[in-house]
Amino acid sequence: MTMPGDRTALSARKGPVLLALAAGPLLGAAIFFSLAGPPAPPPPVQPDAKLIAVPWHHSTRLTALQQVWTGPDIVDVLTRRDAKTGTTYVLRRIWCTSREFQVLGEGATEAQAKAGHAADIGRKPVAEKTISFYVAAHICPGWKTK
């Protein structure tokens, strides 16, 4: 049987243990953040890149970095999307006449997009008010966004 005085002594011994258990994760987090530092900013946009307007998303900056015409109505477009969630690169093939597209690659870097990371298997129709729609309207002659 314990006496009331014994309870106080037991509680006094738990204090430093609980303090050490609480301080450990905080110290670990502080060390991690001091070593990791802030996230690296994305590389600057190339001076010859063209900004593409995306009216439904004002905080997103969409830029056409590169376009290569592979046929009379077929163009490969590398875009960079800067948003609150980060930067992504997408390489799309767009068939202007048939209004179709295919994602040839996508990733957090240009290299991933060009290497075919997360590519689509086939063509898809370009749906209005999507990023692919605004990219196609920017690149393909005669397309209108309104």
Side-chain angles (χ1 to χ4, degrees):
M1 176 172 260
T2 59
M3 302 298 288
D6 293 339
R7 236 185 240 161
T8 307
L10 184 61
S11 294
R13 282 183 272 162
K14 284 185 183 176
V17 172
L18 291 176
L19 180 63
L21 288 173
L26 292 175
L27 182 61
I31 291 171
F32 171 78
F33 286 117
S34 68
L35 293 176
V45 175
Q46 301 163 359
D48 59 340
K50 296 184 173 66
L51 195 62
I52 300 172
V54 182
W56 49 265
H57 209 295
H58 300 292
S59 64
T60 296
R61 181 183 170 116
L62 185 64
T63 310
L65 299 176
Q66 188 179 69
Q67 63 186 35
V68 177
W69 288 90
T70 59
D73 75 328
I74 303 169
V75 62
D76 291 350
V77 184
L78 177 66
T79 58
R80 171 181 162 161
R81 180 177 166 259
D82 295 306
K84 292 178 183 176
T85 56
T87 299
T88 55
Y89 296 85
V90 178
L91 180 60
R92 291 175 181 84
R93 176 164 290 156
I94 299 172
W95 288 265
C96 294
T97 305
S98 62
R99 292 184 172 246
E100 296 176 310
F101 79 100
Q102 179 180 5
V103 173
L104 301 176
E106 182 175 356
T109 64
E110 275 188 56
Q112 285 179 331
K114 289 179 177 180
H117 178 76
D120 285 345
I121 295 170
R123 297 182 189 188
K124 297 180 198 171
V126 176
E128 288 196 22
K129 310 297 184 204
T130 62
I131 287 183
S132 292
F133 173 75
Y134 290 106
V135 171
H138 177 79
I139 300 296
C140 296
W143 278 47
K144 299 199 187 300
T145 57
K146 295 179 185 180

